Amino acid sequence: MNNKALGAIELKPRRKFYDYYAKYSNKAKTKHIMPAFLKQKKYKEVLSIAQKAHISLGCKGITRSDFRYNNKKFFLLEVNTQPGMTNLSLVPEIAAYKGIKFEDLVEWMVKNADCFCRDCVKTMQSSYSVYLDWTDKTCVHYTPQVISGFMQG
């Protein structure tokens, strides 16, 4: 959020593997430990790696970086640019721990939603919807009037 890492959460599944059930079912009782149980130096390190990945990849808005921690080393698995926003999702949980209400998180995400198109680099405004077609590297801006015309047939 604002190119700063909010926090790190540790997941401890009761199952052998952190699978779909462990991730998406309350019944799986996967334990969420916030903040992650790490020494201060390691906690800062993982936040720093996540922040560097976010910035290096040119990410905007909210991302969630997933890691494995093994033999006192962090291994970055992925940077999720569309993290979940359900009652089991990690971003809202980390934000809540930092004192950010869900409604404020969503409002921030909406206000900071940018469209950076390779060709025209225009920020999306309320009067436009933007469709990005990366196959031919074009950005097509649709005004409400054009969208209305599509909807009517």
Side-chain angles (χ1 to χ4, degrees):
M1 197 168 180
N2 292 323
N3 288 333
K4 293 187 177 125
L6 288 180
I9 192 166
E10 182 177 355
L11 303 176
K12 288 201 172 200
R14 292 181 136 194
R15 303 167 64 80
K16 187 173 182 177
F17 295 103
Y18 185 65
D19 59 7
Y20 184 88
Y21 182 78
K23 184 174 184 177
Y24 293 109
S25 175
N26 277 324
K27 294 177 184 177
K29 297 187 174 148
T30 297
K31 191 171 183 181
H32 293 196
I33 302 166
M34 184 66 203
F37 187 69
L38 294 166
K39 292 184 179 182
Q40 178 114 10
K41 183 178 177 183
K42 285 294 184 184
Y43 192 84
K44 287 181 180 181
E45 179 184 343
V46 75
L47 294 183
S48 176
I49 296 168
Q51 182 179 10
K52 286 176 185 174
H54 177 91
I55 292 168
S56 296
L57 293 170
C59 296
K60 304 292 179 196
I62 299 283
T63 59
R64 188 197 71 237
S65 297
D66 295 344
F67 294 87
R68 290 282 300 166
Y69 184 62
N70 192 25
N71 294 326
K72 299 184 182 184
K73 292 181 186 176
F74 292 105
F75 296 89
L76 178 61
L77 302 175
E78 71 169 322
V79 177
N80 188 326
T81 59
Q82 297 290 317
M85 295 295 286
T86 70
N87 61 336
L88 291 175
S89 297
L90 304 177
V91 168
E93 187 173 351
I94 294 168
Y97 179 80
K98 296 296 281 185
I100 302 167
K101 291 188 270 182
F102 183 80
E103 295 81 9
D104 294 336
L105 175 64
V106 172
E107 183 177 338
W108 183 90
M109 291 171 74
V110 169
K111 285 182 179 178
N112 289 280
D114 287 334
C115 169
F116 291 99
C117 167
R118 291 181 183 173
D119 294 330
C120 63
V121 190
K122 290 186 178 184
T123 302
M124 186 174 11
Q125 298 173 355
S126 61
S127 61
Y128 287 93
S129 289
V130 178
Y131 166 70
L132 298 175
D133 182 353
W134 295 111
T135 57
D136 64 3
K137 298 178 185 165
T138 60
C139 180
V140 182
H141 299 273
Y142 294 111
T143 64
Q145 293 81 15
V146 173
I147 293 170
S148 174
F150 286 142
M151 299 300 279
Q152 292 175 4

